[in-house]
Amino acid sequence: MSELKAITPEVSEVVLEAGRSARHYWRDLWRYRELLYFLAWRDVKVRYKQAALGAAWALIQPIVTMVLFTFVFGKLAHMPAGNLPPDAYPLLVIAGLLPWQLFSAAFSGASGSLVSNSHLISKVYFPRLVVPLSSLAVAVIDFVIILGLYAAIAAWYGVWPEWKIVFLPVFIIAALVFALGAGLWLTALTVKYRDFRFIVPFLLQIGVFATPVGYRADTLPNWRGLLSMNPLTGVIEGFRWALLGRDFELDPNTLIFSTVSGAALVISGIWYFRSTERTFADVI
Amino acid sequence: MSADIAISVDGLSKKYRLGVPRQDTLRDRLVHLARGLVSPKTNTSTSEEFWALRDVSFQVKRGEVLGIIGRNGAGKSTLLKILSRITDPTAGRISLRGRVASLLEVGTGFHPELTGRENIFLNGAILGMSRAEIRQKFDAIVAFAEVERFLDTAVKHYSSGMYVRLAFAVAAHLEPEILIVDEVLAVGDAAFQQKCMGKIHSIAAGDGRTVLLVSHNMASVQQLCPTVLRLASGEVAGHGPALAEIQGYLGGHRRAKERQFDLNGQRRTLEPRGGARLQAVELRPNASATGLGPWQLPFGTELTLQFTIELLHALKQLELGIGIFTLQGAEAVSTLSSWNNPIAEARAGIYTVEVRFGSLGLALGPFRFGVGVSSDRGLEDYISDAFEIEVVPSEKSLLPKLRSIQGAIARISEVDWRIRS
């Protein structure tokens, strides 16, 4: 029983009352961290278990997108790559695709997480935030694989990271937090209105163009303000600044806008999730 | 709350809404909103409220094993869901002292693609065990489930029996202070069921653990639970010693006096013509074992049912039929009087009909009796829910393990009909 004591140090009295389940929510979330770990582990394991090509799947999509965007933005639209080695447009694209893939995988994973775990929700108690949080793991693993792809391409072009790369984790976390914020909204809404399942791919389809993934934000000065409203613009610019260095600047206005809009997304996402969470088991 | 109370439930109610215009999709919601704008007066959301639980209060002492019984829809599952914190109460207060684990289903969260070993860890974590705890009990779980050889096989390749054994084994090795169990007991083959029952018995008996057990299987409730909480239509219908509550549940709503049942006031179904009227029935088992309630009959006993029937006028081709149903509604056995006692014509009057079952070969558990009278004109009288009995193990029975397969095995030998006026 010593192990049990470690989880519940005091034989606590749990009081359940209408509308009062919120009391120990965050403490409970901490207690259920092992479940968080196991659900994340399950998702990763299941994802790579059946796919014969395994990690290759995580690479195919960004490679194809990189080639397409290089062709469309670099060759057709003649967008400038900036102070990069000649013909290094693919490097610009992959540095933008890295955070975009991280965001879109985390966002769509989190959005579908509650419905795909409905059998758990209706049978066991745990703080429901565990489910969307654990769904981020698969996105992180895929991200690590694409990061390897980036390293290979950067080495090919002879572009080595500068000291700024130490800030990369900040932008990785920002991408995940934003994805979680948007994912919390969508997953809670999907529990009640299944229509929202169809909205996610649509949003991502628009998002990949409304975000400077295939081009540099500073080449569109007229659209800069609007682009900054997109929290991911700051993340992508941050990635390029941290990874590529050179003439990639961090625009302070973009950073502030991105931070504020991203924070609003996360805070409102948590608020909406928490306020609907208690009815999940009844409606799912 | 005094120290020896583990669970205290006070004025608990849970309301669901029924018949609300469905707004499960966004479109419905928008249509609903638009209608409201066009004609704001007509409020379409005349939501019908349904109280799954209403003002339920009870306490469970530390170390007590409480059975919860009630018909389908009585509120048992809702109560367990609230106690397990899966859903919120609408009103009332519950306090739980100690770590709670609930088993509302066997194998919650099992993933078919993962191996047995992986699923043990996953399922354990879902049920609230820590990794260290699972590791420590791992060997015991595997041994209990008898799946050693298949530990590294994906569970999608398991037979359903192996799957269920593994799932139960993980759950059985939980060691919470309060354990909430829904009818997950009877799983696997007969031998494994016995093992499950034994395990639950030892969980309940050992370490002063508090157990709430929901079951339809009266034999196991009686065996495991000294006290029983009986729910009916969302309210507490009784809370007391197991035997009395089970009797209340089985015979309850018609206040059975011993083994005689008045059939006059019973609800008729199938719109009988009314040429005959079932008046009463008396159960007369051959030997009554001690320690059994009047509704309990040992497996294989000889049972005679004596019906009193009034014929309001002369009827041709009079026939009496009996159907024995499980509580889930499956018909286990039926018999017709014409098989060995055809009656061409009977005058008006009061008749006594005796049916003797030479040996009550029903599987263990509760059964409901339906009785009907017919003539050449059609159905004259019919009661689908005349009375209930429970078949319990007999001392000489060789088949005490055949539970929960009600209806699958039923053999009534030597049915003998006798009709006297």
Side-chain angles (χ1 to χ4, degrees):
Chain A
M1 293 295 276
S2 58
E3 274 306 320
L4 297 187
K5 293 283 151 49
I7 304 167
T8 43
E10 70 282 29
V11 173
S12 55
E13 180 178 341
V14 176
V15 175
L16 308 176
E17 257 177 323
R20 216 177 77 159
S21 62
R23 272 180 97 215
H24 304 301
Y25 192 80
W26 299 103
R27 198 183 65 193
D28 266 7
L29 188 61
W30 175 245
R31 260 184 211 163
Y32 278 87
R33 62 190 182 278
E34 288 213 343
L35 179 62
L36 178 78
Y37 164 80
F38 273 110
L39 291 182
W41 168 83
R42 173 199 67 181
D43 289 347
V44 172
K45 207 131 202 180
V46 169
R47 181 180 161 92
Y48 288 105
K49 205 152 213 170
Q50 268 208 320
L53 292 176
W57 282 118
L59 289 175
I60 289 169
Q61 206 195 347
I63 289 174
V64 171
T65 315
M66 180 181 73
V67 171
L68 267 176
F69 279 16
T70 302
F71 182 71
V72 172
F73 292 104
K75 297 274 186 248
L76 290 182
H78 294 294
M79 301 279 251
N83 187 16
L84 285 175
D87 289 327
Y89 204 87
L91 191 61
L92 174 84
V93 174
I94 193 80
L97 269 176
L98 258 181
W100 174 257
Q101 288 286 343
L102 177 62
F103 172 83
S104 67
F107 171 56
S108 56
S111 299
S113 61
L114 283 177
V115 169
S116 57
N117 284 289
S118 56
H119 57 291
L120 291 185
I121 302 220
S122 57
K123 293 291 180 192
V124 199
Y125 166 78
F126 51 83
R128 306 310 188 197
L129 259 176
V130 166
V131 169
L133 277 173
S134 70
S135 73
L136 300 180
V138 171
V140 172
I141 301 287
D142 284 359
F143 171 77
V144 171
I145 294 167
I146 307 173
L147 193 63
L149 174 72
Y150 168 83
I153 294 174
W156 167 265
Y157 285 110
V159 174
W160 306 104
E162 301 171 14
W163 60 272
K164 296 167 190 163
I165 198 167
V166 298
F167 286 99
L168 190 67
V170 175
F171 297 106
I172 294 173
I173 289 167
L176 283 173
V177 169
F178 295 168
L180 182 67
L184 288 178
W185 269 105
L186 266 295
T187 196
L189 284 167
T190 312
V191 168
K192 209 167 178 197
Y193 310 108
R194 294 290 149 99
D195 308 54
F196 280 93
R197 264 187 301 192
F198 310 118
I199 291 176
V200 173
F202 182 61
L203 282 178
L204 288 174
Q205 212 174 0
I206 297 173
V208 75
F209 294 103
T211 309
V213 176
Y215 52 91
R216 293 181 63 148
D218 54 8
T219 58
L220 301 168
N222 298 336
W223 298 91
R224 207 79 211 261
L226 200 59
L227 276 177
S228 321
M229 300 297 288
N230 177 350
L232 274 184
T233 301
V235 174
I236 290 190
E237 296 212 321
F239 259 76
R240 291 202 174 117
W241 171 78
L243 285 174
L244 299 168
R246 306 196 177 215
D247 67 333
F248 289 89
E249 296 292 335
L250 274 181
D251 175 30
N253 283 333
T254 305
L255 273 191
I256 291 166
F257 268 129
S258 291
T259 310
V260 170
S261 56
L265 192 59
V266 173
I267 291 166
S268 65
I270 292 175
W271 166 81
Y272 183 71
F273 188 91
R274 292 279 297 114
S275 63
T276 51
E277 180 177 11
R278 286 180 293 118
T279 62
F280 285 168
D282 294 333
V283 293
I284 204 160
Chain B
M1 192 158 92
S2 88
D4 64 338
I5 300 290
I7 304 172
S8 170
V9 175
D10 202 18
L12 184 70
S13 298
K14 174 75 180 178
K15 179 175 69 181
Y16 284 104
R17 281 202 204 144
L18 290 180
V20 185
R22 281 178 65 83
Q23 297 177 359
D24 283 345
T25 67
L26 196 60
R27 195 197 61 181
D28 295 346
R29 186 70 192 242
L30 292 175
V31 167
H32 182 67
L33 270 176
R35 273 207 199 114
L37 288 174
V38 174
S39 50
K41 287 279 166 64
T42 56
N43 188 7
T44 48
S45 65
T46 45
S47 52
E48 202 176 304
E49 288 172 354
F50 166 69
W51 291 88
L53 288 175
R54 198 192 274 267
D55 201 21
V56 169
S57 303
F58 63 94
Q59 290 192 328
V60 188
K61 289 203 183 72
R62 186 169 303 284
E64 187 176 336
V65 181
L66 179 73
I68 300 175
I69 60 175
R71 275 156 217 286
N72 290 334
K76 303 182 300 288
S77 302
T78 307
L79 178 62
L80 291 203
K81 278 196 168 180
I82 295 173
L83 287 170
S84 321
R85 305 175 67 185
I86 293 164
T87 183
D88 260 18
T90 309
R93 186 179 194 276
I94 296 170
S95 69
L96 300 161
R97 307 195 79 198
R99 193 169 85 137
V100 182
S102 56
L103 277 178
L104 302 194
E105 179 189 66
V106 160
T108 304
F110 261 48
H111 199 290
E113 297 293 340
L114 298 178
T115 66
R117 183 191 305 278
E118 289 163 345
N119 269 309
I120 291 176
F121 279 90
L122 178 64
N123 188 233
I126 286 167
L127 294 176
M129 283 194 247
S130 72
R131 219 181 322 174
E133 204 180 335
I134 303 165
R135 209 168 285 138
Q136 182 196 325
K137 292 177 187 156
F138 188 84
D139 291 338
I141 292 171
V142 174
F144 189 88
E146 305 161 23
V147 293
E148 290 90 340
R149 290 199 299 131
F150 307 99
L151 260 187
D152 295 306
T153 308
V155 297
K156 66 177 173 184
H157 300 302
Y158 278 30
S159 72
S160 57
M162 280 158 66
Y163 183 95
V164 156
R165 287 208 306 270
L166 183 64
F168 183 87
V170 180
H173 288 81
L174 272 172
E175 286 183 349
E177 282 113 323
I178 299 173
L179 181 66
I180 297 174
V181 193
D182 200 351
E183 278 190 294
V184 287
L185 319 181
V187 293
D189 57 26
F192 192 73
Q193 279 177 32
Q194 279 302 99
K195 206 167 154 183
C196 294
M197 289 299 293
K199 186 73 189 176
I200 286 172
H201 211 113
S202 70
I203 290 172
D207 305 341
R209 209 161 291 152
T210 312
V211 182
L212 293 192
L213 173 74
V214 162
S215 181
H216 279 292
N217 186 333
M218 293 304 133
S220 57
V221 169
Q222 202 176 336
Q223 192 188 344
L224 294 173
C225 312
T227 46
V228 164
L229 180 76
R230 179 159 55 94
L231 293 177
S233 322
E235 294 176 32
V236 176
H239 184 185
L243 197 69
E245 293 307 325
I246 292 172
Q247 180 171 19
Y249 168 73
L250 290 174
H253 53 297
R254 58 201 46 138
R255 276 181 252 293
K257 270 186 204 145
E258 291 300 298
R259 290 174 170 130
Q260 288 179 13
F261 301 89
D262 179 10
L263 299 177
N264 253 321
Q266 296 283 37
R267 204 166 62 88
R268 262 60 179 178
T269 48
L270 303 180
E271 296 177 16
R273 308 180 67 97
R277 185 107 184 143
L278 289 155
Q279 301 265 2
V281 61
E282 188 184 347
L283 268 67
R284 294 199 299 207
N286 187 26
S288 75
T290 50
L292 295 180
W295 73 95
Q296 288 179 313
L297 302 168
F299 173 82
T301 193
E302 181 186 321
L303 172 69
T304 305
L305 301 179
Q306 193 181 72
F307 291 93
T308 310
I309 300 169
E310 183 182 1
L311 298 194
L312 302 172
H313 46 77
L315 291 170
K316 282 179 188 163
Q317 291 172 32
L318 183 69
E319 180 155 73
L320 201 85
I322 295 173
I324 307 178
F325 301 85
T326 68
L327 292 194
Q328 287 76 34
E331 186 160 3
V333 179
S334 53
T335 173
L336 290 171
S337 61
S338 60
W339 289 353
N340 60 356
N341 208 338
I343 301 166
E345 185 157 9
R347 280 172 294 141
I350 294 182
Y351 290 79
T352 304
V353 179
E354 265 186 18
V355 190
R356 190 177 65 84
F357 297 103
S359 145
L360 195 63
L362 290 166
L364 304 187
F367 290 90
R368 167 170 69 76
F369 278 66
V371 190
V373 183
S374 69
S375 71
D376 63 337
R377 307 187 308 165
L379 201 59
E380 298 289 350
D381 196 10
Y382 184 70
I383 304 171
S384 64
D385 198 358
F387 61 94
E388 280 163 4
I389 62 160
E390 184 189 3
V391 180
V392 297
S394 78
E395 283 134 38
K396 60 182 179 182
S397 163
L398 295 173
L399 298 165
K401 288 163 191 162
L402 291 172
R403 63 178 90 245
S404 88
I405 22 178
Q406 294 166 358
I409 296 181
R411 205 177 84 89
I412 306 232
S413 57
E414 305 168 52
V415 183
D416 194 14
W417 289 85
R418 251 168 246 185
I419 301 180
R420 295 191 307 266
S421 61

